[in-house]
Amino acid sequence: MDTLTVIKIGGNVIDNPAALTRFLTSFSSIPGAKILIHGGGKIATQVAEKLGIKTTMVDGRRITDQPMLDVVTMVYGGLVNKQIVAQLQALDVNAIGLTGADAGTVLAIKRPVKDIDYGMVGDIQEVDSGQIQFFLRQDLTPVFAPITYSTAGELLNTNADTMASAIAVDMAHHNNVTLVYCFEKKGVLANPDDDDSVITELNPALYAEHKAAGSINKGMIPKLDNAFKALDNGVAKVIICHADEVASAVQQGAGTTLTK
Amino acid sequence: MDTLTVIKIGGNVIDNPAALTRFLTSFSSIPGAKILIHGGGKIATQVAEKLGIKTTMVDGRRITDQPMLDVVTMVYGGLVNKQIVAQLQALDVNAIGLTGADAGTVLAIKRPVKDIDYGMVGDIQEVDSGQIQFFLRQDLTPVFAPITYSTAGELLNTNADTMASAIAVDMAHHNNVTLVYCFEKKGVLANPDDDDSVITELNPALYAEHKAAGSINKGMIPKLDNAFKALDNGVAKVIICHADEVASAVQQGAGTTLTK
């Protein structure tokens, strides 16, 4: 099986042009097939504000009404995605920017309304890994914005972490997949106040201990749950690392490596 | 040689959701390989206004400074492009939205400053028709936003008519290409005040007569010059027609057909 690196980059890096350029330079040096999934960052909220579109939060989660979906489509699917693609081209990476709608790569359904109506939010149904394979075989590097689509022709806002793990799991049918979550810390920290307290290897038992002790904090929990689930579903390796160190994390093992 | 239909759709149709849906439905019924290039419409100007970005015009032409380029990238490369792709997916067309930066399909250079600095505007240097061929062979339908890129990693605003003819001319090395310009009239009119005065066939001599008589007006002249140049450069057929009639124009010859 060919190796494939699936990398998710978060909003904090997107919001900082110098950090984004450092990340993309590091990313471009990773050999072999790779896929990038980017989050959104604060630009969407800023653009929405300027356009007079109110951000509605319920229980800490953003509600995506149609005007907000339009902003997300503009900012994530347009501005952020195409700037990354153009920068990668200049770094000699033949990038192709995609939403899930493009070439039908990531199909979703609009989240059913139970207690909360999240609006135009997609729950992933199917990744067309054959189609993505076909891009990789042409030496193209897919760059995904966190947007999917429904069979009804709707665009749907989708969590970038979830999209990254769904793509990684599905690609694991064809490839030996390493899934990498990049963010602004050097890895999962044993002490959230000490940036150098990186846990180099984390297994489910150790993860449970850190959760019980409270040293792994709220924001990391859904990310890690997602990551362990990817390991259970065929992904060979999961790494959590600083965006600046993505190449050395993939090649030499910087950051936190998750094991079963 | 396989046939290929390259279709350009203008801003007036983009601005009218019902007209856009009618066009896309007609487009989806055209058999064989096809490529869509869309213009921008007024949404970019409206979004720029709301964001407090001033539109600067020199001699009737828009100057694209960096903030305006960001708006163009958001609106054309994001909102308009992805809405078209999602709608086509629902019509069973496996569309893939692209700017020239994606997969390195349309490379440009930033227009050199002579009398006027147009800003972030691209003059097309090279179309990678081999790459586009590869999408077509996979039964994908490329949908291009009028944005190109430079080797320096810049995104560049590019005229959609020019982009359509550049793509058509380059694809003519591989395919028997019909280039179609869709707009809100039934074709080139002999009398601009009579919507039914469509000139069904237009050759260079007749075009010169109409220009001399003033019956072919200002806005049509660059479009027609572009179109005749495409014919001179290997495109097999050029049609100018109403957006609603694109399928019948391609299959039965509605609108105006240009001949050498």
Side-chain angles (χ1 to χ4, degrees):
Chain A
M1 271 196 190
D2 290 338
T3 61
L4 167 67
T5 313
V6 177
I7 298 173
K8 189 259 168 173
I9 181 79
N12 284 323
V13 179
I14 303 289
D15 285 334
N16 179 336
L20 181 59
T21 298
R22 283 199 308 274
F23 164 75
L24 292 174
T25 306
S26 181
F27 175 84
S28 72
S29 75
I30 299 171
K34 45 194 185 282
I35 296 173
L36 180 61
I37 295 102
H38 62 82
K42 295 189 193 115
I43 321 172
T45 308
Q46 290 162 357
V47 169
E49 249 174 53
K50 286 192 190 169
L51 293 175
I53 295 164
K54 237 177 61 186
T55 298
T56 313
M57 306 288 281
V58 173
D59 290 344
R61 305 187 73 164
R62 183 198 298 249
I63 305 298
T64 308
D65 56 9
Q66 186 65 48
M68 186 55 79
L69 179 70
D70 287 352
V71 170
V72 163
T73 306
M74 287 198 285
V75 175
Y76 302 170
L79 190 64
V80 172
N81 190 265
K82 299 314 170 192
Q83 284 180 342
I84 290 175
V85 167
Q87 279 201 52
L88 285 175
Q89 289 289 351
L91 290 162
D92 275 330
V93 174
N94 199 359
I96 180 165
L98 302 166
T99 65
D102 295 295
T105 41
V106 189
L107 182 69
I109 50 160
K110 188 167 175 291
R111 185 170 298 165
V113 179
K114 288 177 191 164
D115 299 339
I116 300 172
D117 182 359
Y118 288 101
M120 304 301 284
V121 166
D123 290 324
I124 295 173
Q125 292 283 95
E126 201 185 329
V127 175
D128 188 345
S129 54
Q131 184 67 63
I132 297 172
Q133 270 300 322
F134 151 83
F135 294 130
L136 298 176
R137 277 198 303 268
Q138 273 292 113
D139 288 327
L140 293 171
T141 296
V143 176
F144 280 95
I147 295 171
T148 55
Y149 79 114
S150 72
T151 52
E154 300 157 314
L155 293 164
L156 297 167
N157 193 7
T158 302
N159 179 278
D161 282 2
T162 311
M163 196 150 163
S165 67
I167 290 171
V169 165
D170 224 84
M171 295 305 288
H173 296 303
H174 310 264
N175 295 84
N176 185 302
V177 175
T178 298
L179 170 62
V180 187
Y181 288 101
C182 293
F183 68 151
E184 70 284 5
K185 302 277 181 186
K186 289 187 176 169
V188 181
L189 303 179
N191 173 2
D193 297 326
D194 178 3
D195 272 357
D196 290 323
S197 66
V198 174
I199 304 167
T200 54
E201 249 190 70
L202 190 63
N203 61 30
L206 191 58
Y207 176 40
E209 280 176 38
H210 277 286
K211 276 200 289 190
S215 49
I216 289 181
N217 71 12
K218 280 185 183 177
M220 281 306 289
I221 291 174
K223 198 182 278 288
L224 286 169
D225 285 348
N226 230 338
F228 278 112
K229 215 164 72 185
L231 277 185
D232 283 339
N233 287 294
V235 170
K237 199 197 244 186
V238 179
I239 298 170
I240 297 178
C241 68
H242 196 289
D244 286 356
E245 296 180 340
V246 61
S248 59
V250 171
Q251 295 175 281
Q252 292 119 40
T256 301
T257 301
L258 268 52
T259 55
K260 278 214 229 187
Chain B
M1 272 198 191
D2 289 338
T3 62
L4 167 67
T5 313
V6 177
I7 298 173
K8 190 260 169 174
I9 180 80
N12 284 324
V13 178
I14 303 289
D15 286 333
N16 178 337
L20 181 59
T21 298
R22 282 199 307 273
F23 165 76
L24 293 174
T25 306
S26 180
F27 175 83
S28 72
S29 75
I30 298 170
K34 45 194 188 280
I35 296 173
L36 180 62
I37 296 102
H38 62 82
K42 295 188 193 117
I43 321 173
T45 309
Q46 290 162 357
V47 169
E49 249 175 52
K50 286 192 192 170
L51 293 175
I53 296 164
K54 236 177 61 187
T55 298
T56 312
M57 307 288 281
V58 173
D59 290 344
R61 305 187 74 163
R62 183 200 297 252
I63 306 297
T64 308
D65 55 9
Q66 186 65 48
M68 186 56 80
L69 178 70
D70 288 351
V71 170
V72 163
T73 306
M74 285 199 286
V75 174
Y76 302 171
L79 190 64
V80 172
N81 191 265
K82 299 314 171 192
Q83 284 180 342
I84 290 175
V85 167
Q87 278 201 53
L88 284 175
Q89 289 289 351
L91 290 162
D92 275 331
V93 174
N94 199 0
I96 180 164
L98 301 167
T99 65
D102 295 295
T105 41
V106 190
L107 182 69
I109 51 159
K110 189 168 175 292
R111 185 171 299 167
V113 179
K114 290 178 192 163
D115 300 338
I116 300 172
D117 182 359
Y118 288 102
M120 304 301 284
V121 166
D123 290 324
I124 294 174
Q125 292 282 96
E126 202 185 328
V127 175
D128 187 345
S129 53
Q131 185 67 64
I132 297 172
Q133 269 300 323
F134 151 83
F135 293 131
L136 297 177
R137 278 199 302 271
Q138 274 290 113
D139 288 328
L140 293 171
T141 296
V143 176
F144 281 96
I147 296 171
T148 57
Y149 79 114
S150 73
T151 52
E154 299 157 316
L155 294 164
L156 297 166
N157 193 7
T158 302
N159 179 277
D161 281 1
T162 311
M163 194 150 165
S165 66
I167 290 171
V169 165
D170 224 84
M171 295 305 288
H173 297 302
H174 310 263
N175 296 85
N176 185 303
V177 175
T178 298
L179 170 61
V180 186
Y181 288 101
C182 293
F183 68 150
E184 69 286 4
K185 301 276 180 189
K186 287 186 178 170
V188 182
L189 303 179
N191 173 3
D193 298 326
D194 178 3
D195 272 358
D196 290 323
S197 66
V198 174
I199 305 166
T200 53
E201 250 192 68
L202 190 64
N203 61 30
L206 191 59
Y207 176 41
E209 279 176 37
H210 277 288
K211 275 201 288 192
S215 49
I216 288 181
N217 72 11
K218 281 185 182 176
M220 280 306 289
I221 291 174
K223 199 181 278 286
L224 285 170
D225 286 347
N226 231 337
F228 278 111
K229 214 164 74 184
L231 277 185
D232 282 338
N233 286 294
V235 170
K237 199 199 243 187
V238 179
I239 299 170
I240 297 178
C241 68
H242 195 289
D244 286 358
E245 295 180 341
V246 61
S248 60
V250 172
Q251 295 174 280
Q252 292 120 39
T256 301
T257 300
L258 269 54
T259 54
K260 278 215 230 186

